[in-house]
C-alpha cells in the first residue's frame, strides 16, 4: 500500500490553499509520529523505500559514489510538509543542512523535540512556505503532500521558486486510479492501516498531470517509479505506478 | 560518559568481535563489552575448543582482513565421513576438485587471537574487556550500557552476542523455544598416531554422536583432532571424571582405530546440548546474533557459521540503512534483519535436529533404517549437495560480506 502514509502530509502552502480541517487532523497525529508501530506505521515502513529512491537520485544528479556516507555534505535541503521529521533526520545524517516546513505547529514541535534527542541540528519552521526567508535550496523534497493541496499549480510554483540553480526536486504522491481509490482510501482507511480522513481521492494527481504542472513551473519531470506492495516483498519500488509514485524534477534546460 | 557509537555489542566472543570488525569495514563504529580477560582466552594449550569455518564464513574473514593471518593455522576439511556405529554404509561427502574445500578447522584460540589483533588496530572499535554490564537501557534516541565501574557506553543499537544464555535476550523478554536433549557434549583435543587426512568424522551411536574434527599437526608434528563426544546427561559427570587412561580407552573403543591409536587427550570440558530458537531476534533498538539468537546442536558444526551469517546480514542491513540516512537502531532495518535470518536459522536448526533424532534411536531395526537412509543420501545427489552446501555455508540468501 503505498504510501499510505502520510499522515502528515502537511501542507505548507499559501494560506488560501490549506484546508483548515486537514491541518487539525494531522496535528492530532503529531505525537504518534515517531512510534514505528503507531498510526504512522505505514510511513515508517515506506521510509526506507523512498529514501532508496532519493539516495539513487542524489548520486545520479551530483555524480556521487554510491557508497559515500555523507553525500549531501555542503548542500542545503528543504523538506516541505515535513511532519515530525521522518525525512529531515535522514537528510541531515546524509550531511545536508536541512530546513523542514510544516503547516501544523504540533508537527513542528514534535520534530524539534525529536531532532534534539537525536543530536541533529535541523531548522524547523511552522507555517507556510511563503513565510520562509527568501532562500533557495539544492535539494527540495515534497513527499505525499500535493494530494492534500487545493491549488496545485500555485503550490508547485512556490516549490519551484525554492529550487537553487542546478538543484534537484523530489516529489511523491498517490496516483488517481481505481486501484488507489480501492486500496488507499476505501480499504486502508476502513481497516485502519491509514488514519481515516487522510486522503481525498479526487485530489490525487496522475503522473501526466504532475508532469504538466511541473512543466508549467519551468521544471522537467524525470521517469516516475511506482511504490507498490506485495505480501512477499512488502513496500518496494516498482514499474507499477497504479498506487503511488515518486519522481525527480529539475529546471528545464 | 564515553563517546556515543553506532553499536553497543555485549559479548566480545567470536561472533561479537567478528561483528565489530565487519561493521568497522563498513565505517560503522562500536563499543564491545566482554566479561572475560583476553589474556585468559588466548592462553597457550589446546583445549579442544575448535570451530569449523565454512567457505562462506571464510569469505567473511577475508573481507574483514583476518584471513591472511589465519591461513597458516587452518586445517582444511577435505572430506566429511558420516558413519552409523562404524558399520558399513557410511556417507562420504567429498567435494569435486572445482568445488573447493568443505571448510577449515581452527582452534578457537587462534580465531580469538586474530580477531583481537585486528580489533586493536581498528579505531572504530572500542573494546572493553573484563567488564560487567550492570544496566541496559533502550530509549527513544539510543541505547546505553552501564558497566560495574560506573562507565556508561552509549550507542544507537544494542546487540546481544553473549551466547546461548544471553542476559540481554532474557531482559528483553524475547521468548525461547527450547528442546533439551538431556545430553551433554564433552570436548577435548586428541593426539593420535595416524594422520586424519583432512577427514571430519561423525560417528553416530544410539547414545549420541561422536565427532572428530581434523586439526593441524602441532609444532612437534603430532597428529591432532578435536573431539566432540555426546553423552547422556546422567553419564556426563562420570565421563568427565574418568582418569586420562580410562578416557583414552573409551575414545579408542569408539574410534575403532580410524586414526590409529589415541595417545593423549587434552583437558576435558563440556556443555549441555539444547536446541533453542527465538521467533523474535529483534526488539526496540536491540538485535541478537549468534547463539544468543539460536543455540544449536553442534553435530553439524553449524553453530558458529550460522552466527557469522547473522553478522553478515546485520552489517549489510545496517550499512544499507546508513547509506540512506537511517540510524543503526531504526526499527525498519531491524525488521529486515529478522525476516532475513529467521528462515535460515530455523531450517538449519530443524535439519540438524532431525539428524540427531534419526541417529538417537536405539535398536537393530533403527540401525538398519539409518544405514539404508545413509545409503540413500549417498545416492541421492540433490540431498547430498544440500548437505555439502550446508557444511560449506553457501546455501540460502547469503549476505554480501560472506561472498567471494
Amino acid at each position: 500500500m503505498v504510501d499510505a502514509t502520510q499522515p502528515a502530509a502537511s501542507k505548507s502552502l499559501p494560506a488560501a490553499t490549506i484546508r483548515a480541517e486537514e491541518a487539525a487532523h494531522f496535528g492530532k497525529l503529531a505525537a504518534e509520529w515517531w512510534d514505528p508501530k503507531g498510526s504512522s506505521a505505514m510511513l515508517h515502513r515506506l521510509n526506507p523505500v523512498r529514501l532508496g529512491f532519493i539516495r539513487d537520485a542524489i548520486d545520479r544528479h551530483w555524480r556521487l559514489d554510491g557508497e559515500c556516507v555523507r553525500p549531501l555534505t555542503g548542500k542545503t535541503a528543504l523538506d516541505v510538509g515535513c511532519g515530525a521529521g521522518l525525512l529531515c533526520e535522514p537528510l541531515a545524517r546524509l550531511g545536508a543542512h536541512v530546513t523542514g516546513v510544516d503547516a501544523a505547529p504540533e508537527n513542528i514541535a514534535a520534530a524539534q523535540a525529536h531532532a534534539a534527542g537525536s543530536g541533529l541540528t535541523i531548522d524547523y519552521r511552522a507555517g507556510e512556505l511563503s513565510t520562509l526567508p527568501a532562500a533557495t535550496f539544492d535539494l527540495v523534497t515534497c513527499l505525499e503532500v500535493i494530494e492534500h493541496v487545493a491549488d496545485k499549480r500555485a503550490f508547485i510554483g512556490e516549490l519551484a521558486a525554492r529550487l537553487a540553480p542546478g538543484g534537484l526536486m523530489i516529489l511523491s504522491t498517490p496516483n488517481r486510479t481505481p486501484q488507489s481509490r480501492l486500496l488507499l482510501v476505501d480499504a486502508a482507511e476502513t481497516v485502519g492501516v491509514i488514519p481515516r480522513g487522510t486522503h481525498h481521492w479526487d485530489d490525487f494527481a496522475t503522473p501526466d498531470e504532475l508532469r504538466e504542472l511541473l512543466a508549467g513551473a519551468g521544471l522537467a519531470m524525470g521517469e516516475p517509479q511506482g511504490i507498490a506492495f506485495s505480501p512477499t516483498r512488502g513496500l518496494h519500488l516498482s514499474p507499477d505506478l497504479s498506487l503511488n509514485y515518486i519522481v525527480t524534477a529539475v529546471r528545464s534546460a | 560518559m564515553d563517546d556515543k557509537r553506532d553499536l553497543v555489542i555485549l559479548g566480545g566472543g567470536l561472533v561479537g568481535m567478528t561483528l565489530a570488525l565487519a561493521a568497522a569495514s563498513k565505517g560503522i563504529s562500536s563499543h564491545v563489552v566482554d566479561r572475560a580477560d583476553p589474556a585468559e582466552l588466548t592462553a597457550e594449550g589446546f583445549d579442544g575448543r575448535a570451530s569449523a569455518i565454512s567457505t562462506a564464513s571464510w569469505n567473511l574473514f577475508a573481507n574483514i582482513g583476518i584471513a591472511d593471518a589465519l591461513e597458516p593455522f587452518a586445517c582444511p576439511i577435505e572430506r566429511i565421513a558420516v558413519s552409523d556405529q562404524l558399520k558399513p554404509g557410511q556417507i562420504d561427502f567429498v567435494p569435486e576438485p572445482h568445488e573447493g574445500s568443505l571448510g577449515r578447522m581452527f582452534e578457537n584460540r587462534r580465531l580469538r587471537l586474530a580477531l583481537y589483533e585486528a580489533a586493536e588496530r581498528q579505531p572504530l572499535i572500542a573494546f572493553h574487556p573484563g567488564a560487567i554490564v550492570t544496566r541496559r537501557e533502550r530509549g527513544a534516541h539510543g541505547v546505553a550500557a552501564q558497566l560495574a565501574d560506573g562507565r556508561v557506553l552509549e550507542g544507537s543499537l544494542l546487540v546481544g552476542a553473549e551466547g546461548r544464555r544471553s542476559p540481554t535476550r532474557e531482559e528483553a523478554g524475547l521468548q525461547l523455544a527450547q528442546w533439551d536433549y538431556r545430553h551433554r557434549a564433552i570436548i577435548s583435543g586428541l593426539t593420535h598416531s595416524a594422520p586424519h587426512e583432512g577427514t571430519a568424522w561423525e560417528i553416530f551411536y544410539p547414545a549420541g554422536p561422536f565427532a572428530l574434527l581434523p586439526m593441524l599437526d602441532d609444532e612437534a608434528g603430532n597428529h591432532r583432532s578435536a573431539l566432540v563426544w555426546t553423552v547422556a546427561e546422567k553419564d556426563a559427570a562420570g565421563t568427565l571424571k574418568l582418569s586420562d587412561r580410562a578416557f583414552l580407552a573409551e575414545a579408542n573403543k569408539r574410534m575403532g582405530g580410524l586414526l590409529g591409536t589415541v595417545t593423549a587427550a587434552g583437558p576435558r570440558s563440556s556443555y549441555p546440548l539444547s536446541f533453542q530458537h527465538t521467533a523474535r531476534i529483534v526488539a526496540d533498538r536491540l538485535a541478537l546474533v549468534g547463539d544468543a539468537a539460536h543455540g544449536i546442536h553442534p553435530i553439524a558444526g553449524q553453530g558458529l557459521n550460522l552466527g557469522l551469517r547473522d553478522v553478515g546480514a546485520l552489517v549489510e542491513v545496517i550499512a544499507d540503512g546508513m547509506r540512506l540516512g537511517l540510524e543503526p537502531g531504526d526499527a525498519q532495518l531491524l525488521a529486515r534483519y529478522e525476516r532475513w535470518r529467521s528462515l535460515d536459522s530455523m531450517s538449519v536448526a530443524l535439519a540438524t535436529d532431525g539428524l540427531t533424532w534419526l541417529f538417537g534411536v536405539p535398536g537393530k531395526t533403527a540401525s538398519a533404517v539409518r544405514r539404508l537412509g545413509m545409503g540413500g543420501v549417498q545416492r541421492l545427489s540433490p540431498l547430498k549437495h544440500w548437505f555439502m552446501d550446508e557444511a560449506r555455508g553457501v546455501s540460502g540468501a547469503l549476505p554480501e560480506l560472506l561472498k567471494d
Side-chain angles (χ1 to χ4, degrees):
Chain A
M1 322 246 147
V2 180
D3 157 101
T5 32
Q6 222 356 189
S10 25
K11 343 235 88 272
S12 317
L13 356 163
T17 61
I18 295 188
R19 289 201 184 82
E21 72 272 23
E22 286 205 0
H25 167 67
F26 293 119
K28 267 198 302 196
L29 300 174
E32 298 174 24
W33 267 96
W34 280 97
D35 177 4
K37 300 183 196 85
S39 65
S40 299
M42 284 302 290
L43 197 52
H44 283 270
R45 285 207 285 277
L46 180 64
N47 224 20
V49 182
R50 60 194 201 178
L51 283 167
F53 178 92
I54 292 171
R55 173 73 207 239
D56 287 349
I58 288 169
D59 290 343
R60 270 199 315 275
H61 185 76
W62 282 292
R63 297 193 174 78
L64 298 171
D65 169 11
E67 294 304 311
C68 122
V69 186
R70 291 171 71 81
L72 293 177
T73 300
K75 296 200 162 54
T76 55
L78 170 69
D79 185 35
V80 178
C82 65
L86 253 62
L87 184 61
C88 288
E89 293 198 8
L91 293 179
R93 280 194 207 92
L94 292 178
H97 185 77
V98 181
T99 301
V101 183
D102 199 284
E106 301 91 334
N107 286 355
I108 290 300
Q112 283 167 335
H114 197 272
S118 302
L120 295 170
T121 304
I122 296 171
D123 184 7
Y124 282 116
R125 306 292 183 106
E128 303 303 327
L129 191 48
S130 55
T131 62
L132 273 188
T136 59
F137 300 83
D138 300 311
L139 176 69
V140 173
T141 56
C142 184
L143 306 188
E144 311 304 312
V145 173
I146 54 171
E147 66 273 20
H148 303 280
V149 170
D151 187 346
K152 293 184 173 41
R153 191 165 301 278
F155 178 62
I156 298 272
E158 287 207 27
L159 285 180
R162 295 293 175 173
L163 190 63
L168 173 69
M169 184 182 293
I170 294 173
L171 302 130
S172 75
T173 193
N175 198 350
R176 193 174 72 256
T177 61
Q179 292 96 315
S180 72
R181 169 170 232 159
L182 183 68
L183 284 171
L184 287 189
V185 185
D186 297 345
E189 295 193 11
T190 302
V191 302
V193 184
I194 298 174
R196 223 172 256 274
T198 296
H199 287 129
H200 299 280
W201 183 77
D202 296 333
D203 280 347
F204 291 1
T206 65
D208 285 342
E209 289 164 355
L210 183 60
R211 177 176 291 124
E212 189 265 321
L213 284 165
L214 287 165
L219 299 176
M221 187 172 103
E223 196 58 35
Q225 278 205 60
I227 296 173
F229 175 82
S230 87
T232 49
R233 300 182 57 196
L235 291 165
H236 60 278
L237 292 173
S238 148
D240 176 6
L241 306 181
S242 64
L243 288 180
N244 201 280
Y245 60 97
I246 184 164
V247 295
T248 58
V250 295
R251 273 190 205 298
S252 310
Chain B
M1 191 90 37
D2 277 331
D3 54 335
K4 180 168 179 175
R5 292 178 172 242
D6 295 317
L7 311 180
V8 176
I9 302 169
L10 304 184
L14 299 179
V15 172
M17 200 51 100
T18 307
L19 172 62
L21 284 164
S25 77
K26 299 287 181 185
I28 303 165
S29 62
S30 60
H31 287 294
V32 182
V33 184
D34 200 276
R35 26 186 335 143
D37 174 359
E40 285 167 29
L41 290 173
T42 54
E44 282 294 331
F46 176 42
D47 62 359
R49 288 178 191 271
S51 294
I53 297 299
S54 69
T55 302
S57 296
W58 185 247
N59 291 339
L60 174 62
F61 285 168
N63 285 329
I64 64 174
I66 63 168
D68 288 346
L70 276 172
E71 186 74 77
F73 304 104
C75 180
I77 302 173
E78 312 286 358
R79 179 172 85 113
I80 299 176
V82 181
S83 160
D84 181 19
Q85 305 173 57
L86 298 176
K87 292 172 189 168
Q90 80 190 33
I91 311 178
D92 281 313
F93 298 135
V94 185
E96 302 290 324
H98 68 275
E99 292 177 310
S101 101
L102 286 163
R104 295 167 171 80
M105 286 301 304
F106 288 96
E107 295 175 44
N108 285 0
R109 178 178 152 260
R110 286 292 172 192
L111 297 176
R112 276 190 212 102
L113 279 168
L115 290 167
Y116 290 154
E117 213 177 273
E120 214 153 273
R121 291 193 306 266
Q122 177 51 263
L124 288 172
I125 298 174
F127 185 31
H128 310 273
I132 308 289
V133 177
T134 53
R135 195 169 51 86
R136 300 167 186 81
E137 254 184 40
R138 294 181 283 124
H141 298 287
V143 300
Q146 179 158 23
L147 307 184
D149 63 11
R151 275 178 299 162
V152 176
L153 309 177
E154 291 189 309
S156 171
L157 175 69
L158 192 68
V159 181
E162 310 111 315
R164 62 185 62 207
R165 278 202 288 263
S166 165
T168 306
R169 178 192 65 221
E170 302 206 341
E171 193 179 287
L174 295 179
Q175 295 293 318
L176 266 185
Q178 180 155 343
W179 287 258
D180 189 341
Y181 296 121
R182 292 185 298 280
H183 280 74
R184 190 164 271 273
I186 294 178
I187 62 176
S188 180
L190 303 184
T191 306
H192 41 81
S193 60
H196 47 58
E197 290 171 335
T199 301
W201 282 95
E202 293 194 3
I203 310 165
F204 286 93
Y205 288 101
F210 189 96
L212 293 160
L213 302 160
M215 303 300 295
L216 219 53
D217 290 352
D218 68 13
E219 289 81 357
N222 295 310
H223 308 309
R224 301 184 308 165
S225 290
L227 166 68
V228 183
W229 179 8
T230 304
V231 300
E233 188 65 62
K234 62 178 168 48
D235 301 330
T239 311
L240 284 166
K241 268 189 252 156
L242 286 176
S243 71
D244 284 354
R245 232 180 86 182
F247 184 77
L248 285 180
E250 290 291 325
N252 273 314
K253 195 169 86 188
R254 278 167 183 77
M255 289 162 60
L258 282 177
L259 300 175
T261 310
V262 179
T263 53
R268 280 161 251 162
S269 56
S270 79
Y271 56 92
L273 292 182
S274 58
F275 162 62
Q276 308 172 319
H277 181 78
T278 42
R280 306 266 339 264
I281 58 170
V282 304
D284 293 345
R285 289 188 184 272
L286 170 66
L288 301 176
V289 293
D291 287 354
H294 40 72
I296 191 172
H297 191 296
I299 61 161
Q302 289 299 315
L304 179 57
N305 292 316
L306 197 56
L308 296 181
R309 295 221 284 279
D310 293 342
V311 165
L314 183 59
V315 169
E316 183 169 332
V317 162
I318 294 172
D320 281 357
M322 288 175 76
R323 206 184 138 261
L324 305 182
L326 296 172
E327 52 164 342
D330 187 276
Q332 307 309 313
L333 302 184
L334 298 182
R336 183 181 160 211
Y337 169 65
E338 184 171 82
R339 277 197 307 275
W340 190 347
R341 294 305 302 146
S342 57
L343 198 62
D344 184 26
S345 56
M346 195 66 189
S347 62
V348 171
L350 287 181
T352 309
D353 203 35
L355 215 56
T356 311
W357 180 83
L358 177 65
F359 288 97
V361 181
K364 276 210 168 72
T365 315
S367 178
V369 168
R370 283 194 294 271
R371 284 207 299 286
L372 213 72
M374 291 212 285
V377 175
Q378 184 79 302
R379 281 190 295 272
L380 204 66
S381 82
L383 187 58
K384 189 172 155 184
H385 280 117
W386 183 83
F387 268 103
M388 288 184 47
D389 286 346
E390 205 53 51
R392 286 181 295 177
V394 295
S395 64
L398 261 194
E400 286 300 321
L401 275 171
L402 274 70
K403 291 180 186 164
D404 218 338

